[in-house]
Amino acid sequence: MQFTFTLPESLPQMTVKQFLEEQLLIPRKIRHFLRIKKNILINHEEVHWNEMVKPGDICQLTFDEEDYPKKEILRGNPDLVQEIYQDQHLIIVNKPEGMKTHGNQPGEIALLNHVSAYVGQTCYVVHRLDMETSGLVLFAKNPFILPILNRLLEKKEIAREYWALIEGRVESKELVFRDKIGRDRHDRRKRIVDAKNGQYAETHISRLKQFPNQTTLVRCKLKTGRTHQIRVHLSRHKHPILGDPLYNSSSKVSRLMLHAFRLSFTHPLTLEQLSFTALSDTFETVLKQNG
C-alpha cells in the first residue's frame, strides 16, 4: 500500500517521529519498518526522524505486505450500498434497517461485505449500528487508517446524532438520561437499567417536533456507547421508540423508528471538518404516517 497526502495548514509544529507516532498513530513496529526500509518520504526525499514537518509538505508512506497483511472477506452485493461520502481512506454509507453491520458467524453476509464489494477491497468497521437501526456508518478502507479512526471514536471526537420517533408527549425541550445499563439475565438479546451492576450511560435528548397523535420526534446524542443505550433509556422513561421489537412489543409500526441521522468529525489526515446527514425512505414514510 502506498499513500501520498499533503500535510494540512492547521498541523502544529512537530518532528517526523511525532507526526507518525502522535498524529497518525502508527504502531511502533510499523514505524520501525518505515524507518529502516526508508519507506517514508517528505517532499519526495528521505528524511531523518527528528526533522521537522510543516504544513504543505507532501508525505508519502509505503507499507509492505508484512506491515499490514491482506485480509480477505466474502464479498456481498455492491448494489445494496448507498454511498454518502468516500475518499482514499474511508467511506460513509447509509445503512438500511434490518441489516447487520457485520456478520457474527463465518460466512455470514452483512453490510461490511456489501461495502467491501462496492469499494473493491476489504474494508473495516469503525462503529456499528443495531440491525434494526438505519443510518450513517463509517468504515475504514485500509488497516492504516483504522486505528486512527478508532482513536477518534474512543476520544468521542466522532459525533453521532440519532433521530427517534417515540411514544408520548415530551414536555421538556431538553432531557438528559444517566441510568446505568446492564445485561438482562432473562433475555440475552436485551439490556436493562441496572443501578447496582450496570455501566454508566448518558443520553442527551432534544425535542424536535410534537405530533397530534401523541408521538414525538426527538434528537438523541450519546455521551457513552452502551448496547441499546437510546432504546433502553427512552423505554425506561416511558417513551419507547415506535416499532421497537425488544422494548416496545405492543407497537404496530413496521420498523424500529431509530435512525443515525448525522455523523461529524475532523478528517485525521486533512484536518477538514466533515459533517454528513441522511434519512432513509422507510423512516420518512413511517414518520409521515404517524406525524
Side-chain angles (χ1 to χ4, degrees), residues 83-116:
E83 177 189 326
I84 302 300
Y85 172 82
Q86 183 177 185
D87 63 23
Q88 184 183 11
H89 298 285
L90 56 90
I91 180 171
I92 297 170
V93 304
N94 193 13
K95 183 183 90 68
E97 78 281 3
M99 181 185 292
K100 289 184 178 181
T101 303
H102 58 80
N104 298 320
Q105 304 296 331
E108 186 176 10
I109 301 296
L111 180 62
L112 172 62
N113 307 87
H114 302 317
V115 170
S116 296

Side-chain angles (χ1 to χ4, degrees), residues 13-27:
Q13 189 177 33
M14 61 179 63
T15 64
V16 172
K17 179 178 183 296
Q18 289 173 318
F19 178 67
L20 297 179
E21 183 176 351
E22 300 172 15
Q23 189 73 20
L24 299 186
L25 293 180
I26 296 177

Side-chain angles (χ1 to χ4, degrees), residues 1 13 21-22 32 39 64-66 83 90 118 141 149 166 173 184 205 209 218 221 227 232 248 260 266 282 285 290:
M1 296 186 297
Q13 189 177 33
E21 183 176 351
E22 300 172 15
H32 175 69
N39 275 353
D64 296 335
E65 175 70 21
E66 64 191 59
E83 177 189 326
L90 56 90
Y118 180 85
K141 290 175 60 177
L149 295 173
I166 62 176
K173 181 68 175 176
D184 186 334
I205 305 294
K209 187 174 183 179
V218 295
K221 293 184 178 181
T227 299
V232 172
N248 191 13
T266 301
T282 56
T285 298
N290 286 266

Side-chain angles (χ1 to χ4, degrees), residues 222-289:
L222 299 175
K223 296 298 181 181
T224 53
R226 310 305 177 199
T227 299
H228 295 179
Q229 179 174 319
I230 294 173
R231 300 164 70 178
V232 172
H233 274 170
L234 287 169
S235 175
R236 173 71 171 189
H237 292 273
K238 313 301 182 186
H239 293 295
I241 301 175
L242 270 66
D244 193 329
L246 288 180
Y247 305 100
N248 191 13
S249 58
S250 62
S251 176
K252 303 303 181 184
V253 173
S254 59
R255 58 152 293 175
L256 172 67
M257 288 302 289
L258 180 63
H259 179 84
F261 174 71
R262 186 186 305 273
L263 190 64
S264 306
F265 59 97
T266 301
H267 196 293
L269 297 185
T270 67
L271 301 188
E272 179 185 3
Q273 298 295 320
L274 301 178
S275 185
F276 304 96
T277 62
L279 276 176
S280 71
D281 293 339
T282 56
F283 190 94
E284 289 190 281
T285 298
V286 176
L287 192 61
K288 291 175 181 177
Q289 292 171 347

Side-chain angles (χ1 to χ4, degrees), residues 165-179:
L165 184 63
I166 62 176
E167 291 188 359
R169 294 181 62 84
V170 178
E171 300 304 328
S172 300
K173 181 68 175 176
E174 306 285 341
L175 293 169
V176 180
F177 301 142
R178 297 187 175 91
D179 311 277

Side-chain angles (χ1 to χ4, degrees), residues 26-55:
I26 296 177
R28 173 187 286 183
K29 178 181 178 181
I30 309 303
R31 296 199 308 270
H32 175 69
F33 288 151
L34 287 173
R35 183 170 61 84
I36 63 173
K37 296 176 183 177
K38 303 185 186 304
N39 275 353
I40 174 172
L41 302 178
I42 299 294
N43 298 324
H44 312 292
E45 296 182 357
E46 296 178 10
V47 290
H48 296 293
W49 234 227
N50 292 322
E51 285 186 39
M52 303 299 294
V53 293
K54 62 184 184 301

